[in-house]
Amino acid sequence: QVHLVESGGGLVQAGGSLRLSCAASGRTFSSYTRGWFREAPGKEREFVAAISWSGITYYADSVKGRFTISRDNAKNTVYLQMNSLKPEDTAVYYCAAAPSPSDYRRAAQYNYWGQGIQVTVSS
């Protein structure tokens, strides 16, 4: 059975940093695109960042320059380094995996999802 498990969330002050991790088990995801999405209260789930199997990275405009996605295929893990956090970054963050998505920004193209982890940024 496949599991994606997020860790590293929590409460941080505006301007601070957090590093999210997403460890996968049950299968190898080295050939998959790995992504991060977030869902704020009352809002739809939105794309945050993705990294292809070859290491090409993609970011939402709202996080570009502040967040960095990376992966360690040996550990079957993807990371999201979040710097200069803002209150509007507050959300539940989900990691996901997709085999060769045609549009990495579309949540529907991701087959596997973690349970989500809360990130709260106080002003």
Side-chain angles (χ1 to χ4, degrees):
Q1 194 170 2
V2 175
H3 293 283
L4 300 181
V5 180
E6 300 97 339
S7 61
L11 173 65
V12 64
Q13 288 189 330
S17 298
L18 284 174
R19 188 194 194 205
L20 303 183
S21 299
C22 174
S25 61
R27 68 158 296 145
T28 299
F29 286 99
S30 57
S31 64
Y32 277 55
T33 291
R34 305 288 297 272
W36 287 95
F37 290 76
R38 66 187 182 187
E39 191 171 316
K43 295 187 177 181
E44 292 186 353
R45 191 169 298 190
E46 66 173 1
F47 168 76
V48 175
I51 184 167
S52 72
W53 66 270
S54 61
I56 299 172
T57 58
Y58 310 91
Y59 297 96
D61 288 343
S62 59
V63 307
K64 202 171 294 183
R66 299 187 298 122
F67 292 10
T68 302
I69 188 171
S70 61
R71 64 191 298 163
D72 184 337
N73 288 334
K75 295 182 178 180
N76 222 11
T77 298
V78 64
Y79 306 96
L80 186 68
Q81 177 66 43
M82 305 185 294
N83 298 329
S84 302
L85 282 161
K86 305 175 181 180
E88 51 262 45
D89 294 318
T90 295
V92 176
Y93 283 70
Y94 297 88
C95 68
S100 305
S102 58
D103 186 349
Y104 53 85
R105 297 163 296 181
R106 288 189 60 204
Q109 298 207 355
Y110 289 77
N111 304 67
Y112 301 99
W113 289 87
Q115 80 286 354
I117 192 164
Q118 179 69 45
V119 170
T120 303
V121 184
S122 63
S123 56

